[in-house]
Amino acid sequence: MGIVGSTVICSPSAAQTIDAHWGEPDDVPGRGVIPEYTAPGFELAGFDVFPSVVIAGQADSNVFSRTTVQKSDLILIGEPQIRLRRKDASRDYQVDAGLRRSEYLAHSEQSATEYRLAASHTYQVSRSSSLAGSLGYRREAIQRGTVENDLVGGEPLMRRVTHASFMATKRFNRFRMEVRGAFVRQRFEDVGSGTEPSSIATDQSFRNVSRYGAQGVIDYDIGGRTSLFSALQYDCLDYAHSPALLNRDATNWSITGGFRSKLTPLLYAQLGLGYRRYAFQHAALDAIDGIAISGDLQYYPSRLLAVRAHLDQTNTTSPYDFVGAVTLTTGRLELEYEMRRSISWLAAAKFTVEDYGDRDYSGRRLELGGGPRFRVNRWLTLEANVNYARRWVHGPAPFEPFSRVYGGISVTLAR
């Protein structure tokens, strides 16, 4: 229900992102294992099983994320989840599954069912090399008021994503090499008008795309706490043919260099700078190029406070006619204060710049949120949050600005 997120190589969009390789300490807020508040799970066929269910209520002041069509509503959410994990000295297996049902009380056509299933395996070949792979499938609702979903009304825009990735790492003294490959296939469902009994569906298949990507990263340790890295990433995007739109097949590549360092035992930083280019096969669609930037920061000024920041860029194709790729540059800041062992305060801020290439308009999006988390015991957790989102528009854009306030209360039952 909050605005905290993460970027992975299996994102449907093409991203210039270099993962941070350090692990967080085990005794910082959000990471510390507190036995009396940690769900024990149970063992089944050699796997540790951790089931949970989230029951939540949410209020939203602007369901459609628009200024001209501003409607409020109350939403009931149920989300059962389960995680299976098996780990030994050289292998780590993990399976995650979840189902989420959102029920809108006044605008029932906005109700949606989402689900996901993902499996991953990591094999430590030796002390200096490892192999990892993942495979998954999910059905998800695309958030309104974003680049991917500016639909005026109708039912939620639903996307089905199949993803697979592979990673190999090898260390040679001061050098560390990492190679990744990924495949993402996304298919959009038709959007109904929401009118009953016969809903008129709008074809959304023009959004369908398959992405093939590869990334190589080389690290060189120049000291005990600092290393330099260089990265090369290439993506090929194969879009569905649409007679109403130009051919949107494209290639995206970036080259980046930078450093990562444990500046102190409590301050980790990473910064990458380089060049990126997103080019369409059709000559009428202009390529977008510019600076590629990514960054990570982890800071623990005390045992009670954690500060985490992330900066990345994502390229995706706009649904608007004669607009090529859209570059989204997003900065995110997260704070977690562990007031007591059982009570934490969470806060997050996220700001996104939408660059539409040679178009004479652009967008900006701000999201703020926060609230308390109360661990009653190892079986029960209560959480409340309030969030604010706003989108600004510069120039004669085909989308409109808006502001939105939403929040709610959730109860998590875990075993």
Side-chain angles (χ1 to χ4, degrees):
M1 294 176 63
I3 66 175
V4 177
S6 62
T7 303
V8 296
I9 194 169
C10 285
S11 167
S13 305
Q16 291 77 231
T17 302
I18 312 300
D19 289 344
H21 295 299
W22 54 65
E24 292 194 73
D26 293 331
D27 58 348
V28 298
R31 289 280 300 176
V33 177
I34 307 175
E36 58 266 39
Y37 300 115
T38 302
F42 61 91
E43 186 176 352
L44 178 65
F47 282 85
D48 294 322
V49 182
F50 302 94
S52 65
V53 61
V54 179
I55 302 171
Q58 182 173 321
D60 194 331
S61 69
N62 193 344
V63 173
F64 297 100
S65 295
R66 302 184 72 87
T67 301
T68 55
V69 185
Q70 188 164 339
K71 302 290 184 179
S72 60
D73 206 345
L74 297 176
I75 307 102
L76 300 179
I77 300 171
E79 188 174 2
Q81 305 174 71
I82 190 169
R83 168 171 292 182
L84 290 78
R85 187 171 188 183
R86 182 175 181 177
K87 185 176 182 180
D88 56 33
S90 61
R91 298 179 183 272
D92 188 349
Y93 303 89
Q94 185 165 299
V95 178
D96 288 280
L99 174 70
R100 178 186 175 96
R101 176 63 184 177
S102 302
E103 197 71 40
Y104 285 70
L105 301 187
H107 300 84
S108 59
E109 77 281 359
Q110 298 305 304
S111 301
T113 300
E114 304 168 79
Y115 50 80
R116 57 182 173 81
L117 176 64
S120 64
H121 176 220
T122 302
Y123 174 48
Q124 194 71 34
V125 181
S126 66
R127 295 182 61 184
S128 60
S129 60
S130 65
L131 301 173
S134 67
L135 180 67
Y137 180 81
R138 65 182 184 268
R139 181 180 190 254
E140 59 190 5
I142 308 303
Q143 185 179 4
R144 291 185 183 269
T146 62
V147 170
E148 293 183 289
N149 185 6
D150 267 315
L151 298 178
V152 177
E155 298 174 351
L157 178 62
M158 305 301 297
R159 174 170 62 193
R160 297 175 183 264
V161 181
T162 303
H163 62 86
S165 67
F166 171 81
M167 181 178 69
T169 62
K170 177 68 175 178
R171 175 172 287 278
F172 307 91
N173 296 323
R174 289 178 176 266
F175 283 96
R176 181 183 183 276
M177 299 180 62
E178 177 181 295
V179 177
R180 293 189 177 209
F183 167 74
V184 180
R185 180 180 184 269
Q186 59 177 347
R187 296 294 181 264
F188 286 82
E189 301 177 8
D190 295 345
V191 174
S193 64
T195 58
E196 298 294 344
S198 60
S199 177
I200 301 174
T202 303
D203 183 14
Q204 298 293 320
S205 62
F206 72 93
R207 302 174 183 264
N208 295 347
V209 61
S210 296
R211 179 172 71 85
Y212 310 84
Q215 183 187 65
V217 182
I218 298 177
D219 284 88
Y220 177 70
D221 295 334
I222 61 175
R225 293 181 175 178
T226 304
S227 65
L228 302 177
F229 69 85
S230 61
L232 177 65
Q233 180 165 328
Y234 180 84
D235 295 281
C236 180
L237 296 98
D238 181 13
Y239 277 87
H241 173 70
S242 173
L245 296 173
L246 300 175
N247 178 16
R248 293 159 298 142
D249 291 351
T251 58
N252 173 78
W253 66 270
S254 65
I255 183 169
T256 309
F259 78 95
R260 57 172 60 95
S261 178
K262 293 185 178 182
L263 300 174
T264 73
L266 300 176
L267 177 60
Y268 307 165
Q270 173 180 300
L271 180 65
L273 293 172
Y275 174 79
R276 56 177 168 80
R277 180 176 176 83
Y278 190 106
F280 287 86
Q281 292 185 8
H282 201 288
L285 295 174
D286 296 327
I288 291 181
D289 59 1
I291 296 176
I293 184 170
S294 64
D296 279 282
L297 177 71
Q298 296 173 10
Y299 179 44
Y300 313 102
S302 74
R303 297 181 66 89
L304 303 179
L305 180 63
V307 180
R308 302 175 177 95
H310 184 72
L311 176 66
D312 66 13
Q313 287 179 319
T314 301
N315 282 334
T316 188
T317 300
S318 170
Y320 305 120
D321 292 346
F322 305 112
V323 176
V326 184
T327 301
L328 306 177
T329 303
T330 301
R332 186 173 66 251
L333 175 65
E334 302 169 8
L335 304 177
E336 182 167 353
Y337 175 64
E338 204 168 77
M339 180 177 174
R340 296 181 183 176
R341 289 168 64 86
S342 61
I343 301 177
S344 295
W345 288 87
L346 311 175
K350 180 180 177 182
F351 186 74
T352 301
V353 177
E354 305 171 8
D355 177 14
Y356 289 83
D358 61 347
R359 302 294 95 180
D360 55 354
Y361 56 81
S362 62
R364 305 287 186 271
R365 184 184 178 93
L366 173 67
E367 297 174 76
L368 303 172
R373 176 187 294 158
F374 177 37
R375 306 173 185 87
V376 180
N377 51 44
R378 62 176 56 193
W379 320 107
L380 176 63
T381 299
L382 307 177
E383 187 170 351
N385 62 72
V386 177
N387 302 274
Y388 171 78
R390 182 172 181 178
R391 192 182 192 186
W392 292 269
V393 175
H394 300 275
F399 49 88
E400 55 183 68
F402 72 88
S403 63
R404 174 182 174 223
V405 178
Y406 60 101
I409 298 174
S410 66
V411 178
T412 301
L413 303 173
R415 169 65 172 87

